[in-house]
Amino acid sequence: MSEAATLSRAVPDVSIVIPVYNEAANLPTLFDRLIAVVDSMERSAEIIFIDDGSQDRSRDILVELQGRRPDCVRVIEFDRNYGQHMAVMAGFEQSHGTVIVTLDADLQNPPEEIPKLLALIDQGHDVVGGYRRDRKDSFLRRWPSLIVNRIRAAITGIEIRDQGCMLRAYRRAIVQEIVDSGETSTFIPALAQYYAANPAEVEVAHAARHAGKSNYNLYRLIRLNFDLMTGFSLVPLQVFTLFGMVVSALSLVLVAYMALRRIFIGPEVEGLFTLFTILFFLIGVMITGLGIVGEYVGRIYLQVRSRGRFRIRTIHQEKSDP
């Protein structure tokens, strides 16, 4: 292999990073459509699949697909499941492209939409996010997502029209900032938006899931949004601090009122259950506040213990010529 060919392969124009978890039914179709897109682009590209500890045949299928196109396909194999964003982070670390595109493996975001993002990158934007046109998700997925988007924007100040769309493109400098941040628990689109100097968004098509079922259950969605809000803002802590100050002031007024009432009217048991109701409400608020504080303390703990974010079992790639 010539030196020029080696350099071209080492630094492709585009790296396409795809996290995979139990997507065996989707991978062959995704691969065929994605390869067609890559071959039609007038720029060099690499495709990086990250098997995030799949429990079905995803790993075997990925290795087989890599063998079909070893010139542009690599497969990173985790030793267990670390989550979608850590899989993307591994892809970022292993990518070589000057532009990195992320894509889900479920075919809800068609790979044919990738050139739309690259066109905006070529215009000078450093981050390009997709937002889904005519979402095919259920009502119970769309409306909570809309509400969370608005809450997140209000709390963090980070404007992302569709935070659930993984079809996004980043310049190498942004990806390097994300990798160098060393964060062990983060939301990559929001982190990229934080670093971006000239972000843009573009409408992309959305399809019903090709096969299988979503790997995001209610707990994972809640967990993701906790990471998002506590990772980019102190507003939740500040809100509870202000609420505590207001409650303390009202409590002082109530104590003064009860003391004066006892002096001038005498002791009474009326309103006892009302007081219990107020007490239980305040206890609930305190527990919620402790939970929010615990989220921040937990993030500090994860960060300072300095463990690796993930472990790669092996990387399946083309053998280098001696």
Side-chain angles (χ1 to χ4, degrees), residues 68-88:
R68 286 169 50 185
R69 287 295 300 267
D71 59 308
C72 64
V73 176
R74 283 187 284 154
V75 176
I76 299 172
E77 185 182 342
F78 279 174
D79 62 347
R80 64 175 179 84
N81 178 254
Y82 290 92
Q84 181 188 44
H85 290 272
M86 287 301 101
V88 172

Side-chain angles (χ1 to χ4, degrees), residues 79-152:
D79 62 347
R80 64 175 179 84
N81 178 254
Y82 290 92
Q84 181 188 44
H85 290 272
M86 287 301 101
V88 172
M89 195 74 76
F92 282 173
E93 290 186 2
Q94 296 295 325
S95 65
H96 303 304
T98 55
V99 177
I100 295 84
V101 175
T102 58
L103 178 70
D104 276 337
D106 57 13
L107 285 172
Q108 288 197 272
N109 291 127
E112 292 81 6
E113 297 285 68
I114 290 175
K116 282 186 179 181
L117 280 69
L118 298 180
L120 286 176
I121 289 287
D122 291 341
Q123 293 176 19
H125 299 286
D126 49 5
V127 172
V128 178
Y131 60 89
R132 292 166 285 189
R133 177 178 69 244
D134 188 22
R135 283 186 62 177
K136 304 301 180 183
D137 293 325
S138 68
F139 173 85
L140 293 177
R141 286 293 298 273
R142 285 185 284 112
W143 280 100
S145 177
L146 178 63
I147 293 171
V148 168
N149 270 342
R150 291 179 176 176
I151 294 174
R152 182 261 311 142

Side-chain angles (χ1 to χ4, degrees), residues 56-74:
D56 60 1
R57 294 188 61 251
S58 293
R59 181 262 180 198
D60 296 334
I61 293 173
L62 287 174
V63 172
E64 177 188 344
L65 296 175
Q66 190 275 331
R68 286 169 50 185
R69 287 295 300 267
D71 59 308
C72 64
V73 176
R74 283 187 284 154

Side-chain angles (χ1 to χ4, degrees), residues 29-50:
T29 302
L30 170 65
F31 182 81
D32 291 340
R33 291 172 59 179
L34 187 56
I35 287 294
V37 172
V38 167
D39 289 344
S40 68
M41 294 192 305
E42 296 181 355
R43 55 181 97 200
S44 58
E46 65 176 353
I47 302 170
I48 303 174
F49 291 101
I50 305 94

Side-chain angles (χ1 to χ4, degrees), residues 19-21 50-53 78 80-91 166 184 186 188 215-216 220 224 309-310:
V20 176
Y21 181 68
I50 305 94
D51 178 41
D52 188 22
F78 279 174
R80 64 175 179 84
N81 178 254
Y82 290 92
Q84 181 188 44
H85 290 272
M86 287 301 101
V88 172
M89 195 74 76
M166 188 53 70
T184 58
T186 191
I188 288 174
N215 294 309
Y216 267 98
R220 287 195 176 197
L224 176 65
R309 292 181 289 197
F310 46 78

Side-chain angles (χ1 to χ4, degrees), residues 234-245:
L234 294 177
V235 169
L237 285 178
Q238 294 165 346
V239 167
F240 267 90
T241 299
L242 292 173
F243 182 78
M245 295 171 64

